[in-house]
Amino acid sequence: MGLIKITFDGSSVSAEQDASLNHHIVGLIPAGVIKGLGGQCSASVSNNYITFQSGYVQIYGRRMFIEAGSQVYVALDSSMYGAIVITVTLSNNTAVLGKIESSSPITLTQNDLLNGGNVYQFALCKYTKTTSSITLDSSYSPNLIVPSNQLANQAIASFQTKAEEMYGYSCVPTYNITASGKYRYVTCNKNYVKYCLIGIKFLDSVCYIPGMGLLQGSSFSATYSILNTNYTLFAEWLSDGRLCLTLADSTHKVYFIYLFNHGGTKS
């Protein structure tokens, strides 16, 4: 028991230690073909053989290399579903490229190799066969493990999209605002608008009301200004899901309604 040196000259690192580090470096992805190296294990069919281009595969941190031109023979002896798989078995320390076939769609054995599991099967391709042909399943493609910089860029892009959705703003233009005398009606998603600050644009001013203060059946008043004269409006949710604004005068025009989001989602 004690300190184990890993990245030092002369160190002895177990396969389990190495696999654990590799697994975490790629974002805990169980298995996949490493993107951008070799031919990414692309498959083709000819003369009863499925042939692969070169590529690297990682399964729970354990890496394997498929040599260009590697082939698996498929006998045309019946109509079956099939898959060409890499089967990793830790109990005997093997990794084997081969086929599995079944009369029904293929089910793979996929244990967690870092938490007591022993066998993991990763399909490089899937196919169907008859007594006269082999057809690769075009709807299936093996999972790809992307480089860490691309993984980070994907995470950043996802965060930016989420942040823009949850902390951006939207606008309800005039043509979506129904007018009837002093009343203005807008259909809004209540569960979304309750996270918004609602800005109501008049001729030369904007007044704000809190969406959270407008629960169904309640009302809220706010002051707005037109040409330096102050007026009061009332806002309330109607039972049919619309927001009703009652203005001080029927001639007052609402130009836009802005929804400034601060943490909600539109769904």
Side-chain angles (χ1 to χ4, degrees), residues 136-216:
L136 291 178
D137 182 354
S138 59
S139 67
Y140 175 80
S141 59
N143 184 50
L144 293 178
I145 296 176
V146 302
S148 57
N149 63 321
Q150 292 185 25
L151 195 65
N153 289 337
Q154 289 174 1
I156 291 171
S158 176
F159 173 79
Q160 288 176 332
T161 299
K162 191 69 173 179
E164 289 172 0
E165 177 186 357
M166 296 184 68
Y167 298 97
Y169 76 94
S170 57
C171 177
V172 180
T174 304
Y175 55 79
N176 284 332
I177 301 173
T178 303
S180 178
K182 296 190 298 183
Y183 304 100
R184 303 293 183 270
Y185 302 97
V186 181
T187 301
C188 299
N189 183 328
K190 175 184 174 183
N191 291 328
Y192 170 67
V193 174
K194 71 181 181 181
Y195 292 104
C196 294
L197 180 65
I198 304 171
I200 304 167
K201 176 67 171 69
F202 293 94
L203 176 65
D204 57 350
S205 67
V206 180
C207 79
Y208 297 94
I209 56 177
M212 185 60 78
L214 292 173
L215 301 178
Q216 184 170 320

Side-chain angles (χ1 to χ4, degrees), residues 182 224 231-233 246-250 252:
K182 296 190 298 183
Y224 65 98
Y231 302 92
T232 299
L233 67 78
T246 304
L247 307 183
D249 191 284
S250 62
H252 293 172

Side-chain angles (χ1 to χ4, degrees), residues 101-144:
E101 295 183 338
S102 173
S103 58
S104 57
I106 296 296
T107 299
L108 302 175
T109 300
Q110 297 184 327
N111 303 150
D112 184 343
L113 301 186
L114 294 180
N115 289 284
N118 181 52
V119 176
Y120 194 101
Q121 293 176 319
F122 177 72
L124 293 178
C125 70
K126 293 183 178 181
Y127 63 89
T128 55
K129 74 174 188 177
T130 65
T131 55
S132 60
S133 66
I134 304 168
T135 303
L136 291 178
D137 182 354
S138 59
S139 67
Y140 175 80
S141 59
N143 184 50
L144 293 178

Side-chain angles (χ1 to χ4, degrees), residues 4 6-7 23 28 34 43 80 103 107 134 142 174 199-200 208 212 226 230 242 251 253 260:
I4 298 175
I6 293 180
T7 54
H23 182 58
L28 304 178
I34 297 178
M80 302 282 277
S103 58
T107 299
I134 304 168
T174 304
I200 304 167
Y208 297 94
M212 185 60 78
I226 297 178
N230 291 332
R242 292 182 298 167
T251 63
K253 181 178 179 180
F260 298 93

